[in-house]
Amino acid sequence: MQKTLFIKIGLVFILAMLINIPLGMMGNLVNERQGRQAQVTGEIANSYAEPQFISGPVLVLPYTEEYPVRAEGRDSDDKGNATHTRIQRRSAALYLTPHTLSARGTLATDTKKRSLFRVPVYTLDSNWQGSFEIPARLDAPRRSDSSHVTWGRPYLSLAVNDPRGFASAPLLELDGKAVSVEQGSGLSIAPGGVRAMLDSAVLQRAGTHTFKLALKLRGTSQLRVIPLADSLKMELASNWPHPGFEGRFLPLPESQHVGADGFRANWEVSSLATNAQARLTQAMATPSSCHDANCLDSFDVRLVTPGNIYQQSDRALKYGFLFISITFAAFFLFEILKRLAIHPAQYTLVGLALAMFFLLMLSLSEHMAFTLAYLIAASACVVLVGYYLGHVMRGAWRGAGFAALLSACYAALYGLLISEDNALLMGSLLLFVLLTVAMIVTRKFDWYGINANAEGTSSI
């Protein structure tokens, strides 16, 4: 075995590992920029409107219950125990969710920019209509069968995450009559929103009560809808071409349409499929069981920013060591097959040029489309490395050949970045192809015979 060859292989491996240091520093830079982007998103949400959820409307029927409680006192029972009865009073409410609820809305989107960062915002313009069923006899949860219940003034409650998002006051009609709204939903689990105080006579009219709601709401990045109705149907259209459908319920598959002009989607949710109604009642009775509306089932639409440059850069850096190792291996094969004397310092310069690609790609992508930034950074590195190696390898054609190989590697890396679902398959095929090429090229190479020329062709 040839000692010089093994020393050279060890040095090349160590250099490849050392190049990981600047790659790690670039990874920290990407994380820092991602953190700044999240900070800017929060700042814009604080000055515009937070990501929104819509819950309701809910018909709230407050009541006061007076019930007897035994306590120690002067009176005596049949066994001579000293007892007496006092009246305890408590306030509670009965929550009636809609029997039916249908909504149709459009989500007009825009982009807010601060410094180098862009955040999607939206304005929801929607119309809701539905019905409540008031039973002939209201059965409120009681502490005692002998208690006395006094009903208070009912109100309709609509909860949202950030009431600053109301572009205008919601327009509400109940049984064909307009009712005015005031600030605050009156729900402890989701206090933001509005409520409409109703006439107490509503409680006397058992049966179906219809309502209509015109709602215009602003928000940032995400919209959540909490399905509290027995039967909910919603149609939503938007000009945003990259929606992310999330939450517990996805749109009906046949209703989804996503294209360059935006998206359309329909949802249908039954109370049999969600625990939102039960969780709402439980949360209002026991606040510790559910601190906010996040514990309720919902379906969400997220305004996804495609090709997030920091996500793409982070993925590229994960392939960085593999990319540099492949390049060094090809460089080493050139050296062995062509009997060249290449110094470790020259390996180092080539490795730093490859590492510089990732920094160029990140910095350029903050000012232009990611694809264009990638193309410029890759082209700059290919030209630089090709020019340099043309002199190192003592031939312009050799430098051009290595530059062509490097270009193919950059093209393969870009394919891995844009094919997220097939990245593993493409990466496996790429490594197999490279290994196959290396084995074919060196199939007749005499590794033991390299010692005969080691003195004149190797340099450490």
Side-chain angles (χ1 to χ4, degrees):
M1 296 295 289
Q2 183 189 139
K3 182 178 179 181
T4 302
L5 178 63
F6 283 117
I7 293 176
K8 189 60 172 286
I9 292 175
L11 283 174
V12 171
F13 177 77
I14 292 173
L15 288 174
M17 296 298 294
L18 290 176
I19 296 298
N20 257 344
I21 296 176
L23 290 181
M25 296 172 65
M26 293 177 200
N28 292 335
L29 178 61
V30 170
N31 292 334
E32 178 186 338
R33 304 299 281 179
Q34 282 183 313
R36 176 57 182 158
Q37 184 184 46
Q39 181 182 351
V40 169
T41 300
E43 291 173 355
I44 291 178
N46 287 335
S47 59
Y48 186 76
E50 300 280 349
Q52 295 284 11
F53 65 73
I54 300 174
S55 177
V58 177
L59 181 57
V60 183
L61 309 178
Y63 64 90
T64 301
E65 180 187 10
E66 296 179 341
Y67 56 97
V69 177
R70 282 188 176 185
E72 294 183 0
R74 296 179 180 177
D75 298 333
S76 299
D77 59 11
D78 295 338
K79 297 181 180 180
N81 297 322
T83 63
H84 79 283
T85 300
R86 62 184 179 85
I87 301 300
Q88 184 81 10
R89 176 178 295 182
R90 77 179 184 99
S91 297
L94 185 64
Y95 302 93
L96 299 183
T97 54
H99 178 59
T100 62
L101 181 61
S102 61
R104 177 174 295 178
T106 58
L107 205 64
T109 63
D110 195 4
T111 302
K112 296 291 184 182
K113 181 178 178 181
R114 181 169 297 179
S115 185
L116 298 173
F117 306 98
R118 293 175 175 81
V119 178
V121 297
Y122 62 82
T123 299
L124 172 68
D125 193 353
S126 60
N127 291 285
W128 307 66
Q129 59 183 9
S131 62
F132 290 97
E133 297 290 338
I134 296 184
R137 180 180 178 182
L138 294 174
D139 189 14
R142 301 188 180 200
R143 296 285 179 87
S144 172
D145 294 336
S146 59
S147 64
H148 175 71
V149 171
T150 303
W151 293 97
R153 187 177 179 184
Y155 58 90
L156 270 177
S157 175
L158 175 70
V160 299
N161 183 47
D162 188 352
R164 293 176 306 146
F166 285 123
S168 58
L171 301 178
L172 181 63
E173 293 183 5
L174 181 65
D175 295 328
K177 297 181 180 179
V179 291
S180 59
V181 297
E182 59 186 57
Q183 189 176 19
S185 68
L187 304 176
S188 59
I189 189 175
V194 294
R195 64 180 181 271
M197 304 304 298
L198 307 177
D199 195 310
S200 298
V202 171
L203 300 179
Q204 310 302 321
R205 301 196 298 270
T208 302
H209 294 262
T210 61
F211 66 87
K212 292 182 179 180
L213 172 67
L215 177 64
K216 198 168 185 178
L217 187 67
R218 292 190 293 257
T220 301
S221 301
Q222 184 181 22
L223 173 67
R224 296 177 56 216
V225 177
I226 298 174
L228 293 176
D230 295 337
S231 175
L232 169 65
K233 297 180 180 180
M234 184 170 186
E235 302 177 16
L236 189 62
S238 175
N239 61 340
W240 190 262
H242 307 287
F245 300 119
E246 302 174 356
R248 296 278 291 176
F249 309 97
L250 295 177
L252 300 175
E254 64 274 12
S255 73
Q256 293 185 43
H257 171 78
V258 180
D261 58 340
F263 73 87
R264 296 191 302 274
N266 297 347
W267 287 262
E268 291 186 8
V269 182
S270 168
S271 61
L272 299 176
T274 175
N275 65 356
Q277 293 179 343
R279 291 284 285 171
L280 173 67
T281 302
Q282 179 186 11
M284 295 303 297
T286 312
S288 60
S289 65
C290 180
H291 298 286
D292 54 40
N294 290 326
C295 69
L296 304 179
D297 288 346
S298 68
F299 57 85
D300 311 1
V301 176
R302 183 180 296 276
L303 303 182
V304 178
T305 302
N308 183 288
I309 60 173
Y310 302 114
Q311 293 178 357
Q312 297 282 52
S313 298
D314 183 61
R315 291 186 62 212
L317 283 168
K318 290 178 180 178
Y319 294 106
F321 177 71
L322 178 62
F323 185 79
I324 290 175
S325 299
I326 291 173
T327 305
F328 273 20
F331 199 18
F332 183 73
L333 284 178
F334 264 92
E335 177 182 0
I336 297 299
L337 295 174
K338 299 301 181 181
R339 308 296 184 181
L340 300 173
I342 301 178
H343 196 274
Q346 294 169 320
Y347 276 90
T348 303
L349 290 174
V350 172
L352 291 175
L354 296 176
M356 184 61 66
F357 156 76
F358 297 98
L359 183 59
L360 282 174
M361 178 188 65
L362 174 61
S363 57
L364 289 172
S365 62
E366 291 185 331
H367 299 274
M368 60 184 69
F370 180 81
T371 300
L372 181 59
Y374 187 96
L375 178 61
I376 294 175
S379 300
C381 290
V382 167
V383 171
L384 176 61
V385 173
Y387 172 78
Y388 180 71
L389 293 184
H391 292 77
V392 172
M393 295 180 171
R394 305 185 185 93
W397 285 108
R398 292 177 179 179
F402 198 90
L405 177 63
L406 191 58
S407 298
C409 289
Y410 278 121
L413 177 60
Y414 184 74
L416 292 175
L417 294 181
I418 64 175
S419 302
E420 183 174 355
D421 295 336
N422 301 314
L424 179 60
L425 174 61
M426 293 182 63
S428 302
L429 292 176
L430 174 62
L431 290 176
F432 181 79
V433 169
L434 291 174
L435 179 61
T436 301
V437 171
M439 293 176 69
I440 292 175
V441 169
T442 61
R443 68 188 185 280
K444 296 182 180 180
F445 189 75
D446 184 7
W447 294 95
Y448 286 102
I450 194 174
N451 190 51
N453 297 311
E455 295 296 331
T457 61
S458 296
S459 175
I460 301 176

